[in-house]
Structures are given as C-alpha cells and as structure tokens.
Amino acid sequence: ATYYDNNTILYHNGSFLKAAELTMDLYSQSLHYGYSVFEGIRSYRTASGETRIFKATEHYERLERSAALVNMPYHWSVNQLIDATYETLSRNNLQDAYIRPLVYAPANMSFNVNTESYITIQVWEMQPFLGDKLLRVMGSSFQRPNPRGFRIEAKASGHYVNSILASQEAKAKGYDEALLNDINGFVAEGPGANIFFEKNGKLYTPPTGNILPGITRATIFELCGESGIEVEEKLFTTEDLKQADAAFFCGTAAEVVGWQSFDDVPMVKEWNDTISRKIQLAYKELVTEKITEPSTL
Ligand code: PMP
C-alpha cells in the first residue's frame, strides 16, 4: 500500500508539512517502547458531495482520554484538531479517507513522564480494511492484554503488538481475521474491531472493561435504539458463536462486516436474512448521510 507520495501534506504540531520531508527522532520513547496514543477516523464523501468526518468529536475526545490514561501531556482542543483535519484533507484533495492522528513522545530512553508531546495527523485514501466479503474468523491462541497490566481503554500503540500477532496468526492459518478472548476466557474483540452476534432476533456484545470501547460499537447501539432492535451487553464464549444466527465485526475502518464462519462452523442464517445485515446497511447510510427512515429497518 502507498500511504504518501512527494505531494502528501500532513499536520504536525500546528503546521502543514510535506510528509516526505518530516523526520522522527530515533530516540523517541514512542518508538522504543510503543508509548504513543492514536486514533483511527474516517471521512466520507456524503450523498450530497460534501466531505464529512464521521464522529470527529468523539474520536478527538477519545484521543485526549487515551493520552490522559497513559500520562502523556496533551494541549490541543477538539475543535482545533477537527479544523486541522479538514484542512489536511482539503490540502490532499481527499474525501473518502482514513485519518490517523498520533500523539507521541520526545527523545527519552527512561520511563519517566515527559514535559512535551507531539501530534501528527496523517490522511490517506481509504483502502478496504477487511473487504466486503463475509469473513472466515478464527479463535485466536492470543488473549487480549490483561486490563490490570495496561490501560486497555486507551488506544495506545503498544497494545497493537497483540493485534499484530493475532492477525498474523489467523492469516497464516488461512483465515481472514482473528477473534480474541479476554484473560478470563470470555470473548473480547478482534485485533482492530469490536464484535456483535445475533441470536433469535437480538444482538449481543461484550461489556466494556476488557475491550476498546468502540465509537462504531456505540453507533450500533444508537441505530438499534432508533429502530427498536434489542441489544444487550453480556459476557459470552466462543461456544455461543458456534450457534449464532450471525456475527459481525465493527470499527471505524471495518465499518460493519459480517462473518461467514467461526472456526469453520458456518453462521446459522444467511447474512442477507439477518438483522445484522440491516444494521450494516443502516451504518453505511448514516456515514454517507443518506436519509433513512428507522422504521424501514
Ligand atoms: N477494538 C480495537 C482493538 C480497535 O483497534 C478498534 C479500532 N479503533 C475497535 C475496537 C473499534 O473502535 P472504533 O469503532 O472506535 O473504530
């Protein structure tokens, strides 16, 4: 994949700079110890042709929360960063984009708190994350990080070594994606997405505590509320998934992506016959600002 070329512009600490010319300090605490926090945001070309960042406020509030959870200095306002993001998109002529803000640390080989942090906002043309086809998902041999060992609700870079290991394992075994349990053996989430399953007309998803509380996950709750679909947070195991009518991953990049099978056991219902499929369509219409009547769900 190409993320930038000689013309790409990024935002860096208040300035707009050429991505190709920006350098990073190789003595940064972030690089050596995975000590940085980031966001994954999407912008869309809406039905009326405008550029719209989906849930920009929620994402920048989470970035600030992530920084606070790992004791990183943070001195940017939500509105300032939203403006900077629109400006970065515009300077790169992008509408359907993936947006990656990153807050990172200066040169520091100790474990001490820093007096400064830096921010970049990088944008690139959206490329399919998990694709449009139904996924063959594998129960991972990796668990999600221990929430007593990490600030699991922070979107911290170091946590993603776990995601990389799980995703690589699943792909090496011929699956599309991994599903990870928490340290107690209950289903937690995918490497970069939350999970829901559907049984007898109702949706279920793990509670917060061992997962990244996804903004897409919260959006699914809103969509269900508007259309009278029942959804419940509860702990469940991979055995429950083997009897599910449907299951899906959801996340900013993944959007809503249905499963074909879990550990080679097919989902009970055809994807097109499920409530989950209706949620998938409703999500797409929401982000592109097409008008939907909740009652048509
Ligand atoms: N869990 C993990 C581990 C993630 O990386 C992501 C993607 N940010 C999600 C869940 C979904 O979060 P969101 O809907 O906010 O993108």
Side-chain angles (χ1 to χ4, degrees), residues 124-169:
W124 56 85
E125 195 178 349
M126 189 54 202
Q127 283 140 13
F129 173 51
L130 290 168
D132 278 337
K133 65 177 178 56
L134 297 177
L135 303 178
R136 295 180 56 249
V137 177
M138 185 192 107
S140 185
S141 74
F142 294 96
Q143 297 175 338
R144 287 297 286 162
N146 182 344
R148 291 192 186 179
F150 293 88
R151 302 289 195 192
I152 198 72
E153 298 199 345
K155 201 165 165 63
S157 299
H159 302 176
Y160 285 80
V161 176
N162 171 256
S163 298
I164 287 175
L165 289 172
S167 203
Q168 288 177 347
E169 176 192 49

Side-chain angles (χ1 to χ4, degrees), residues 11-287:
Y11 176 83
H12 182 246
N13 301 331
S15 313
F16 296 92
L17 302 173
K18 280 199 160 194
E21 287 170 10
L22 192 76
T23 57
M24 193 197 164
D25 195 321
L26 285 174
Y27 294 77
S28 165
Q29 207 182 23
S30 301
L31 184 64
H32 290 254
Y33 308 128
Y35 184 65
S36 46
V37 295
F38 68 100
E39 268 304 316
I41 316 180
R42 280 275 343 242
S43 64
Y44 292 89
R45 180 185 157 87
T46 64
S48 62
E50 280 166 284
T51 307
R52 202 77 94 229
I53 303 170
F54 186 64
K55 303 245 173 184
T57 302
E58 288 82 347
H59 280 282
Y60 281 116
E61 285 174 351
R62 187 171 65 186
L63 185 64
E64 184 163 2
R65 216 159 49 238
S66 294
L69 280 167
V70 301
N71 313 316
M72 295 184 94
Y74 194 94
H75 39 261
W76 304 281
S77 74
V78 167
N79 284 338
Q80 173 192 4
L81 294 178
I82 293 176
D83 289 348
T85 307
Y86 275 111
E87 180 66 22
T88 311
L89 288 169
S90 154
R91 288 185 187 224
N92 289 287
N93 289 315
L94 283 172
Q95 290 197 293
D96 274 304
Y98 186 80
I99 299 157
R100 168 53 58 77
L102 174 73
V103 175
Y104 64 98
N108 179 2
M109 291 298 103
S110 82
F111 299 152
N112 296 341
V113 169
N114 302 294
T115 53
E116 258 193 286
S117 329
Y118 311 119
I119 190 165
T120 60
I121 302 174
Q122 292 153 265
V123 301
W124 56 85
E125 195 178 349
M126 189 54 202
Q127 283 140 13
F129 173 51
L130 290 168
D132 278 337
K133 65 177 178 56
L134 297 177
L135 303 178
R136 295 180 56 249
V137 177
M138 185 192 107
S140 185
S141 74
F142 294 96
Q143 297 175 338
R144 287 297 286 162
N146 182 344
R148 291 192 186 179
F150 293 88
R151 302 289 195 192
I152 198 72
E153 298 199 345
K155 201 165 165 63
S157 299
H159 302 176
Y160 285 80
V161 176
N162 171 256
S163 298
I164 287 175
L165 289 172
S167 203
Q168 288 177 347
E169 176 192 49
K171 280 160 194 168
K173 295 200 165 155
Y175 294 88
D176 299 310
E177 192 51 293
L179 177 74
L180 293 90
N181 281 345
D182 65 22
I183 57 162
N184 302 312
F186 295 106
V187 168
E189 60 190 329
N194 293 116
I195 181 208
F196 284 75
F197 80 92
E198 174 180 335
K199 188 70 189 174
N200 299 329
K202 190 173 164 184
L203 296 180
Y204 300 89
T205 195
T208 55
N210 285 303
I211 60 169
L212 185 79
I215 290 161
T216 318
R217 177 182 179 277
T219 306
I220 304 287
F221 277 89
E222 287 168 17
L223 289 171
C224 287
E226 285 164 16
S227 48
I229 295 168
E230 259 196 290
V231 53
E232 187 187 332
E233 291 176 282
K234 74 159 190 181
L235 294 171
F236 58 89
T237 68
T238 52
E239 285 312 303
D240 297 304
L241 293 175
K242 292 178 183 165
Q243 290 153 38
D245 292 336
F248 59 86
F249 278 132
C250 69
T252 297
E255 300 181 318
V256 173
V257 54
W259 292 13
Q260 178 191 94
S261 60
F262 177 70
D263 279 350
D264 298 317
V265 180
M267 296 295 116
V268 170
K269 286 196 176 177
E270 288 291 321
W271 176 248
N272 283 332
D273 299 337
T274 62
I275 293 169
S276 301
R277 166 67 175 158
K278 294 194 167 82
I279 294 283
Q280 181 184 45
L281 293 172
Y283 185 78
K284 196 79 200 178
E285 295 192 348
L286 182 66
V287 295

